[in-house]
Amino acid sequence: MLALCLDIKVVAMHIGIIVSLIFTSLVFFLWQYLKGEQVGRRIGLLLNIWGAVIVFYLLMVVFL
């Protein structure tokens, strides 16, 4: 029973990180559009943000 509960928690965390990355991307592209920039021009910044989110997620998985 405990293993099933932990599996559900891990799946929920995976879904949460995917939703977080999609939301971050949408906000980033909206920010670029509203500033009048070409959307996707500074994709390196978005990748850095993704990297920070993924590293934070991995630290949570390792230490929690």
Side-chain angles (χ1 to χ4, degrees):
M1 184 68 174
L2 180 62
L4 179 64
C5 181
L6 289 176
D7 288 341
I8 292 171
K9 188 182 278 189
V10 169
V11 169
M13 286 173 43
H14 284 36
I15 291 171
I17 194 70
I18 292 168
V19 170
S20 173
L21 289 173
I22 291 171
F23 179 74
T24 302
S25 299
L26 291 175
V27 169
F28 179 79
F29 291 133
L30 181 64
W31 171 69
Q32 279 191 318
Y33 177 74
L34 291 176
K35 279 183 65 176
E37 294 181 10
Q38 180 182 359
V39 175
R41 186 169 187 88
R42 294 197 288 172
I43 203 74
L45 178 60
L46 179 62
L47 292 176
N48 287 336
I49 294 169
W50 272 42
V53 170
I54 291 170
V55 165
F56 180 72
Y57 172 71
L58 290 174
L59 288 173
M60 283 186 355
V61 168
V62 169
F63 290 113
L64 292 179

